[in-house]
Amino acid sequence: MSTPANAHRSPDRSAAVLLRFSLDGRAELKRRASELGMTVQQYADWKLLDADPSKPVGGRATGQRPLEGLSA
């Protein structure tokens, strides 16, 4: 039996999810996030996943390359 290709992957990796909005809907999303001082990603995490908006989004520090900081 074969092993799935993603079996070795770190749980720190992220997945991309495509959401489609009209141009007006996208502008509204950006406006709402901006009014709260958030990025669209932070706003989406907060609204869609009930994530704490005060916590940083993502698994790595700003400017850090993808594999830096991961233990072997």
Side-chain angles (χ1 to χ4, degrees):
M1 182 176 280
S2 65
T3 302
N6 66 351
H8 68 285
R9 291 194 174 160
S10 165
D12 293 331
R13 291 191 180 213
S14 62
V17 176
L18 177 66
L19 297 174
R20 292 184 180 263
F21 294 94
S22 66
L23 292 176
D24 290 340
R26 179 166 166 76
E28 177 66 13
L29 186 62
K30 286 175 131 180
R31 185 191 64 75
R32 290 182 187 189
S34 179
E35 282 181 356
L36 296 170
M38 297 180 176
T39 64
V40 172
Q41 179 67 54
Q42 289 169 320
Y43 185 80
D45 285 347
W46 176 46
K47 289 295 191 175
L48 297 173
L49 302 174
D50 294 323
D52 182 352
S54 66
K55 291 187 179 177
V57 175
R60 53 184 199 246
T62 303
Q64 185 180 19
R65 290 185 214 134
L67 297 179
E68 287 178 344
L70 295 179
S71 56

